[in-house]
């Protein structure tokens, strides 16, 4: 009985310390940065799913796009509580200055870039207290160009790299990389809980009655994604 009481006391102490640690844990300001945010874009859908299901007690999420958000996607992201930022897509200087302002004003801790230009802009705009991660979603966008490959390998040599599959990791990993590496598969949302993918205007365009129940899926095999 005494051992049981001591065990319970130890567990209570551990639980109390964990709870206290959670209370004092700093909420991270994380900015997910993409080149564009179209209505049905693959990366955009992944970021939207992350915004819906991430731990909002630990993260203050920001989503940035170089190009204007598709209105329906902007509304969907805003409903998650994430802050939206548009940087502009002309050259590099404008986006760098816009991102540097966001990083400073919002005290951004981490920028996660989803393609090469956002990654390079983030590297130029980040303050010493802001980490930059590169989340790679495709293959030939970098590996198909020797100059881009050289820039990527030199710039990312100490940064954390996140890959959406083992195949993407195999295509991008290189001997000189000294940072962390992780494979994180894209999640799949429950369609009954994530809301409609298209706004009502799509039904009108296709001649589908507003109340009709529709099940459909469209996809394409893209050469640079090296589908198998």
């Amino acid at each position: 009985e005494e051992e049981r009481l001591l065990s319970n006391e130890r567990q209570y102490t551990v639980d109390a310390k964990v709870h206290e640690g959670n209370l004092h844990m700093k909420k991270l300001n994380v900015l997910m940065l993409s080149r564009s945010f179209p209505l049905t874009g693959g990366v955009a859908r992944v970021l939207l799913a992350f915004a819906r299901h991430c731990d909002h007690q630990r993260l203050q999420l920001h989503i940035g796009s170089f190009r204007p958000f598709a209105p329906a996607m902007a509304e969907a992201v805003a409903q998650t509580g994430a802050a939206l930022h548009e940087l502009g897509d002309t050259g590099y200087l404008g986006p760098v200055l816009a991102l540097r302002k966001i990083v400073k004003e919002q005290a951004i801790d981490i920028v996660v870039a989803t393609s090469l230009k956002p990654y390079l802009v983030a590297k130029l705009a980040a303050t010493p207290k802001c980490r930059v991660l590169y989340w790679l979603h495709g293959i030939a966008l970098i590996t198909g160009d020797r100059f881009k490959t050289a820039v990527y390998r030199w710039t990312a040599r100490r940064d954390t790299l996140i890959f959406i599959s083992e195949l993407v990791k195999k295509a991008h990993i290189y001997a000189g990389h000294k940072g962390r590496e992780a494979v994180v598969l894209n999640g799949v949302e429950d369609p009954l809980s994530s809301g409609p993918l298209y706004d009502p205007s799509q039904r009108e365009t296709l001649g589908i009655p507003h109340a009709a129940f529709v099940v459909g899926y469209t996809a394409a095999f893209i050469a640079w994604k090296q589908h198998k």
Side-chain angles (χ1 to χ4, degrees), residues 114-116 137-145 148 172 224-225:
T114 62
S115 60
L116 187 58
H137 288 262
I139 294 181
L141 289 177
I142 294 176
T143 59
D145 186 294
K148 288 183 178 180
H172 290 91
W224 59 262
K225 291 188 176 181

Side-chain angles (χ1 to χ4, degrees), residues 119 123 131-134 152-161 174 176-181:
Y119 174 62
K123 292 291 288 184
R131 292 180 58 200
V132 178
L133 283 63
Y134 194 179
Y152 153 70
R153 289 182 173 181
W154 184 83
T155 309
R157 62 194 184 280
R158 295 188 182 90
D159 288 342
T160 295
L161 300 177
Y174 56 99
H177 183 242
K178 306 300 182 184
R180 298 177 62 186
E181 304 155 3

Side-chain angles (χ1 to χ4, degrees), residues 8-20:
N8 290 340
E9 183 178 353
R10 283 195 295 269
Q11 184 61 48
Y12 176 81
T13 302
V14 170
D15 291 343
K17 287 183 177 180
V18 170
H19 177 67
E20 182 180 358

Side-chain angles (χ1 to χ4, degrees), residues 21-147:
N22 289 337
L23 289 176
H24 295 285
M25 185 181 296
K26 178 182 180 293
K27 178 180 283 191
L28 287 175
N29 282 308
V30 178
L31 172 63
M32 314 293 283
L33 186 60
S34 184
R35 187 76 180 270
S36 60
F37 220 86
L39 180 63
T40 58
V43 175
R45 298 298 302 180
V46 170
L47 295 181
L48 177 59
F50 182 81
R52 284 173 172 156
H53 300 290
C54 70
D55 187 350
H56 292 280
Q57 298 298 318
R58 300 182 61 184
L59 296 182
Q60 176 59 54
L61 188 63
H62 301 253
I63 293 183
S65 175
F66 283 45
R67 299 167 184 168
F69 287 84
M73 290 299 280
E75 181 180 355
V77 173
Q79 290 175 355
T80 70
L84 278 67
H85 306 277
E86 291 184 4
L87 280 66
D89 197 25
T90 303
Y92 275 80
L93 181 59
V96 167
L97 294 177
L99 182 57
R100 174 67 65 87
K101 182 178 180 182
I102 294 169
V103 168
K104 289 184 174 180
E105 291 183 351
Q106 303 297 328
I108 301 296
D109 299 296
I110 298 173
V111 176
V112 182
T114 62
S115 60
L116 187 58
K117 182 174 181 178
Y119 174 62
L120 297 177
V121 166
K123 292 291 288 184
L124 293 170
T127 62
K129 295 182 178 180
C130 178
R131 292 180 58 200
V132 178
L133 283 63
Y134 194 179
W135 190 5
L136 290 103
H137 288 262
I139 294 181
L141 289 177
I142 294 176
T143 59
D145 186 294
R146 290 185 178 181
F147 177 73

